[in-house]
Amino acid sequence: MPDKELRIVIADPNPLRAAILRDGLREAGHVHVTVIDTFLDLETRLCALNPDMVLIDLENPSRDVLEQMIRISGADARPVAMFADASDAAMINAAIDAGVSAYVVDGLKKERVRTIVDVSVSRFNAFARLREELQAAKDQLADRKAIDQAKALVIKAKKISEEQAYSMMRKVAMNEGKKIADVARAILTAAELLR
């Protein structure tokens, strides 16, 4: 997503702080900026607006707001930068666990907004790539496990070698235009039904 086209929501009940962020964003070229002036029903409001990024400015982040951030991050992952006046290690860790891309302590200056947005988006994208790679590795392991289990069933049922069982499964996959892991899962499902 191009930086200039980001739809950004500022969540801040303090109009002066929100104005600093809004002005900093506009000076950085971000024109699609919406300000939410309360944390009440933040989750619903963010879902309705569906922004590309959220900036939250808090004097002191509460557990309630962090819990909302966990739900927001889980439902629709997006970069979140949190500005806070207090530097509490437990709160910083809770914010990061909640999916906050950047936790900025005592750093609310109009001139820093562009850099903070850029870093937040970059960090969010880096973590998103890591999550995708981790999921791909988990999927590959699950596929491998299913294939091995299905091979064992075919070996036992047909009294053939491992190589022959794999070759048979691969041939079925090719004939049906499926992945071999899908054929393996079908074999496992059928075996479960026949028990």
Side-chain angles (χ1 to χ4, degrees):
M1 69 181 98
D3 287 349
K4 301 293 183 204
E5 310 231 350
L6 287 176
R7 290 170 316 194
I8 300 174
V9 166
I10 299 168
D12 190 346
N14 181 319
L16 294 175
R17 289 190 318 231
I20 292 170
L21 284 172
R22 188 182 57 241
D23 292 347
L25 288 168
R26 290 208 172 122
E27 284 182 17
H30 297 287
V31 293
H32 305 291
V33 179
T34 304
V35 177
I36 297 176
D37 61 3
T38 179
F39 294 125
L40 294 175
D41 210 18
L42 180 62
E43 201 174 338
T44 304
R45 295 175 84 182
L46 286 176
C47 286
L49 292 169
N50 193 26
D52 299 311
M53 180 173 198
V54 178
L55 302 179
I56 296 182
D57 195 357
L58 304 164
E59 287 178 43
N60 241 331
S62 70
R63 292 279 176 201
D64 289 342
V65 172
L66 290 177
E67 286 174 12
Q68 285 187 69
M69 291 315 306
I70 290 170
R71 289 191 301 273
I72 291 164
S73 297
D76 242 342
R78 62 180 54 93
V80 176
M82 185 176 283
F83 295 81
D85 295 337
S87 135
D88 171 12
M91 195 58 72
I92 292 171
N93 288 334
I96 299 300
D97 289 345
V100 172
S101 304
Y103 188 97
V104 182
V105 178
D106 197 27
L108 185 58
K109 292 183 177 65
K110 183 171 65 166
E111 301 77 28
R112 295 183 63 201
V113 172
R114 172 187 218 119
T115 304
I116 290 167
V117 167
D118 291 346
V119 167
S120 296
V121 170
S122 293
R123 186 162 187 242
F124 174 81
N125 289 337
F127 277 115
R129 280 191 301 276
L130 287 174
R131 278 192 303 272
E132 287 170 11
E133 290 170 10
L134 177 61
Q135 189 57 52
K138 285 180 178 180
D139 292 346
Q140 286 177 343
L141 284 172
D143 287 352
R144 185 85 245 141
K145 182 178 178 183
I147 291 167
D148 288 344
Q149 289 173 337
K151 260 193 316 188
L153 290 172
V154 172
I155 289 167
K156 186 175 179 183
K158 297 278 193 180
K159 302 202 183 337
I160 57 177
S161 71
E162 182 178 351
E163 187 178 306
Q164 290 170 316
Y166 184 80
S167 180
M168 185 181 290
M169 290 168 51
R170 189 179 70 220
K171 183 177 180 185
V172 169
M174 287 171 54
N175 289 344
E176 293 183 9
K178 295 182 178 179
K179 292 178 11 181
I180 194 164
D182 295 334
V183 170
R185 286 187 181 86
I187 291 169
L188 295 173
T189 300
E192 194 65 34
L193 289 172
L194 297 174
R195 281 190 184 179

